[in-house]
């Protein structure tokens, strides 16, 4: 699948604004940058930025049993979610491995589920597999609307009073250019961020409107840099069936008192008996970026592996996300990352790093 | 070879009838099924139902009708529904030959 028909007008608008396309996610080509990734990064860090997240899958779930079923299939407590509220939650296998990290928003008349890019088919199949007599209908709504995200410390000001005070994963309606739109606070890059679900036919106009209000269009390069600096895991890098939610730092999305869900026994046992083998942390590197999946060594032995690497303006150096064995997973550990015939030196740290981001 | 049916022991059938009488059903069947959830992926469901639904498989044994929806039947074929009483009794017990793994408390399974 190349860029979808529904995103074509938006793509044209982005091209007119200087977008360069060289990355692809979930079948949609997304802008890599708009000519100046450094300026785009600064906008996300210091003011407000406009990010196209349309590659992330979106499911519409209707029927009386939607929350109950999702509650039985995932890690967080969803059963009491009132309209206007939402939660992050992890679909796990019966071995406690990550199928996907989801945002579930109760929009009142329906549930909106945001999946990772390209995982929506798998998520729908998983829900179908465990649907027996429940009153539930799941529809893939990814193609019918764009997902535009306004991120950064001034993001709320771009969207107006309606979003002021909106808690993480809560949703409300905003009016943009006399169009009512649903906005959900997702903090997708680990900084304040609001996702707007925009019907495809309005996506280009809303995108232009948000840019007019001062949100600086940013591409994947700047977004990826902020994501890694904030320590936010991404599907295919830090999320997937190779990992469990505790390893991937998803503790805030796990309820330990909600009762059974698929994978619960394993997740609870790992946590109770401190059997988590590795965990996600940051590594600041001294020089050029090694491969994003390079091994990490300390004192001559392997202690982990990299999963993502960016050139971090906040650190003034390359910054990696890495899974580090629990026994070594403490900030300040000197490590080496073999890169070709050399080894790049680095130091572990907890992310997000509060120092250095000013 | 697992017989492709679902059976209910004499004791389990008697207990089911007792529950049904308490709930004042005259004509009834025991609805047996599975649903998603539990630590291992699937959990058993049991309820008293006045009548079967068009898509149900209906099995009669020991004087009791079992109603099983088609999708649940796939996961339950070969199961013997028994009843374990006494101080350490577990109540209704599903002996399901399809269950490859069972969670610690025994109420959920995967195939």
């Amino acid at each position: 699948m190349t860029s979808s028909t529904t995103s074509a007008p938006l793509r044209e608008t982005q091209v007119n604004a200087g977008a360069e396309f060289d990355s692809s996610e979930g079948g949609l080509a997304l802008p890599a940058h708009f000519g100046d990734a450094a300026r785009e990064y600064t906008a996300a860090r210091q003011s407000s930025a406009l990010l196209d997240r349309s590659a992330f899958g979106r499911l519409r779930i209707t029927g009386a049993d939607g929350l109950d079923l999702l509650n039985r299939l995932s890690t967080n407590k969803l059963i009491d979610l009132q309209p206007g509220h939402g939660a992050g939650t992890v679909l796990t296998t019966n071995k406690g491995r990550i199928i996907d990290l989801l945002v579930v928003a109760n929009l009142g008349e329906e549930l909106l589920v945001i999946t990772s890019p390209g995982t929506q088919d798998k998520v729908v199949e998983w829900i179908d597999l465990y649907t027996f007599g429940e009153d539930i209908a799941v529809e893939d709504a990814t193609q019918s609307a764009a997902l535009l995200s306004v991120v950064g410390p001034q993001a709320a000001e771009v969207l107006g009073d309606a979003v002021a005070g909106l808690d993480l994963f809560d949703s409300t309606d905003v009016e943009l250019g006399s169009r009512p739109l649903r906005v959900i606070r997702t903090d997708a890059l680990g900084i304040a961020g609001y996702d707007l679900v925009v019907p495809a036919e309005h996506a280009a106009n809303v995108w232009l409107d948000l840019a007019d209000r001062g949100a600086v269009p940013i591409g994947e390069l700047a977004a990826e840099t902020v994501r890694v600096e904030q320590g936010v895991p991404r599907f295919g890098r830090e999320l997937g069936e190779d990992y469990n939610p505790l390893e991937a730092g998803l503790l805030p999305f796990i309820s330990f008192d909600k009762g059974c869900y698929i994978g619960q026994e394993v997740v609870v046992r790992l946590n109770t008996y401190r059997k988590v083998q590795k965990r996600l942390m940051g590594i600041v590197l001294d020089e050029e970026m090694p491969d994003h999946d390079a091994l990490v060594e300390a004192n001559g032995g392997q202690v982990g592996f990299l999963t993502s690497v960016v050139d971090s303006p906040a650190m003034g150096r390359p910054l990696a996300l890495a899974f580090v064995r629990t026994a070594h997973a403490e900030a300040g550990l000197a490590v080496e990352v073999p890169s070709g015939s050399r080894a790049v030196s680095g130091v572990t740290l907890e992310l997000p790093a509060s120092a250095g981001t000013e | 070879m697992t017989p492709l049916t679902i059976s209910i022991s004499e004791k389990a059938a008697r207990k089911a009838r007792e529950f049904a009488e308490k709930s004042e059903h005259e004509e009834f069947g025991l609805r047996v099924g599975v649903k998603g959830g539990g630590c291992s992926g699937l959990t058993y469901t049991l309820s008293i139902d006045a009548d079967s639904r068009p898509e149900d498989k209906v099995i009669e044994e020991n004087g009791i009708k079992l109603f099983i929806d088609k999708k649940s039947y796939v996961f339950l074929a070969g199961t013997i529904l028994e009843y374990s009483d006494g101080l350490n009794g577990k109540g209704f017990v599903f002996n399901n030959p399809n269950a490859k793994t069972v969670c610690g408390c025994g109420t959920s399974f995967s195939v």
Side-chain angles (χ1 to χ4, degrees):
Chain A
M1 187 170 59
T2 54
S3 81
S4 72
T5 49
T6 52
S7 73
L10 181 56
R11 184 182 168 104
E12 195 181 320
T13 304
Q14 290 168 336
V15 169
N16 290 340
E20 300 278 343
F21 292 82
D22 64 10
S23 65
S24 175
E25 265 196 54
L28 289 175
L30 294 173
H33 60 82
F34 287 82
D36 188 347
R39 177 175 161 272
E40 294 164 29
Y41 168 87
T42 303
R45 279 292 183 199
Q46 295 179 1
S47 53
S48 66
L50 172 56
L51 176 66
D52 184 0
R53 296 217 310 135
S54 300
F56 284 71
R58 276 143 284 143
L59 309 177
R60 271 184 77 225
I61 297 186
T62 49
D65 298 330
L67 278 179
D68 172 54
L69 182 59
L70 290 172
N71 193 66
R72 283 185 268 130
L73 301 185
S74 68
T75 57
N76 214 343
K77 189 173 184 179
L78 306 175
I79 195 72
D80 299 329
L81 276 186
Q82 297 301 307
H85 296 285
T89 194
V90 191
L91 277 186
T92 39
T93 68
N94 61 1
K95 296 189 164 63
R97 302 302 187 102
I98 299 167
I99 293 169
D100 202 6
L101 170 62
L102 307 177
V103 172
V104 177
N106 184 349
L107 304 184
E109 69 280 12
E110 65 188 49
L111 304 177
L112 171 70
V113 173
I114 303 176
T115 73
S116 290
T119 59
Q120 60 268 34
D121 289 350
K122 192 173 63 170
V123 172
V124 171
E125 280 170 25
W126 188 258
I127 293 171
D128 279 351
L129 181 64
Y130 290 105
T131 302
F132 288 84
E134 288 86 351
D135 172 16
I136 182 173
V138 181
E139 179 196 338
D140 183 349
T142 309
Q143 299 297 321
S144 59
L147 191 66
L148 301 181
S149 198
V150 181
V151 303
Q154 290 166 15
E157 287 149 49
V158 170
L159 294 171
D161 293 342
V163 306
L166 205 61
D167 284 330
L168 187 58
F169 302 124
D170 287 357
S171 56
T172 188
D173 289 320
V174 291
E175 198 147 301
L176 278 181
S178 74
R179 269 179 219 97
L181 293 173
R182 197 68 67 127
V183 58
I184 303 141
R185 179 166 182 175
T186 58
D187 293 4
L189 298 180
I191 57 175
Y194 303 86
D195 284 358
L196 290 146
V197 181
V198 189
E201 63 270 27
H202 301 310
N205 284 336
V206 170
W207 192 91
L208 286 169
D209 191 14
L210 291 168
D212 277 350
R213 288 162 179 252
V216 176
I218 69 169
E220 285 297 293
L221 280 173
E224 181 70 356
T225 304
V226 175
R227 177 188 76 84
V228 170
E229 288 180 348
Q230 296 302 114
V232 175
R234 165 177 163 176
F235 191 84
R237 293 289 179 84
E238 293 85 21
L239 301 176
E241 290 195 33
D242 289 342
Y243 311 112
N244 69 55
L246 295 165
E247 293 171 335
L250 302 180
L251 197 62
F253 307 133
I254 301 172
S255 166
F256 286 99
D257 59 11
K258 65 173 258 190
C260 288
Y261 57 87
I262 300 177
Q264 184 231 16
E265 197 168 25
V266 177
V267 171
V268 169
R269 197 165 55 219
L270 287 169
N271 189 59
T272 303
Y273 296 109
R274 303 187 183 282
K275 293 285 187 193
V276 181
Q277 298 295 315
K278 54 185 181 289
R279 72 178 178 92
L280 199 56
M281 56 191 317
I283 296 180
V284 172
L285 297 159
D286 275 356
E287 45 189 313
E288 68 186 55
M289 304 191 286
D291 293 341
H292 70 73
D293 55 355
L295 298 178
V296 177
E297 296 175 352
N299 305 318
Q302 189 194 329
V303 296
F305 53 92
L306 304 189
T307 50
S308 295
V309 188
V310 296
D311 220 340
S312 164
M315 297 293 164
R317 282 186 290 173
L319 175 68
L321 288 180
F323 280 101
V324 180
R325 273 202 220 153
T326 308
H328 300 273
E330 282 189 29
L333 178 72
V335 298
E336 296 210 311
V337 180
S339 174
S341 55
R342 310 173 304 114
V344 175
S345 298
V347 177
T348 59
L349 78 165
E350 302 292 350
L351 291 177
S354 48
T357 50
E358 61 270 12
Chain B
M1 170 94 188
T2 304
L4 285 177
T5 186
I6 296 173
S7 53
I8 181 165
S9 72
E10 197 277 326
K11 187 191 274 178
R14 193 173 67 236
K15 286 288 175 184
R17 274 196 301 276
E18 285 174 25
F19 282 111
E21 279 155 16
K22 276 184 208 156
S23 60
E24 294 172 0
H25 282 80
E26 298 216 344
E27 285 286 313
F28 76 95
L30 187 59
R31 177 163 297 285
V32 184
V34 299
K35 68 174 188 174
C39 307
S40 293
L42 296 167
T43 58
Y44 299 106
T45 61
L46 264 188
S47 57
I48 303 290
D49 224 344
D51 216 341
S52 64
R53 295 172 202 157
E55 297 285 289
D56 282 344
K57 193 163 177 67
V58 180
I59 294 168
E60 194 161 358
E61 190 180 12
N62 283 322
I64 197 162
K65 281 181 184 156
L66 303 179
F67 303 149
I68 307 119
D69 69 88
K70 275 187 173 168
K71 193 171 174 184
S72 291
Y73 188 81
V74 173
F75 296 94
L76 291 172
T79 295
I80 304 168
L81 183 59
E82 293 175 303
Y83 191 87
S84 148
D85 56 8
L87 283 176
N88 290 314
K90 298 186 179 113
F92 288 97
V93 177
F94 289 77
N95 283 319
N96 182 355
N98 303 292
K100 287 214 181 75
T101 60
V102 177
C103 76
C105 63
T107 62
S108 89
F109 69 102
S110 68
V111 295

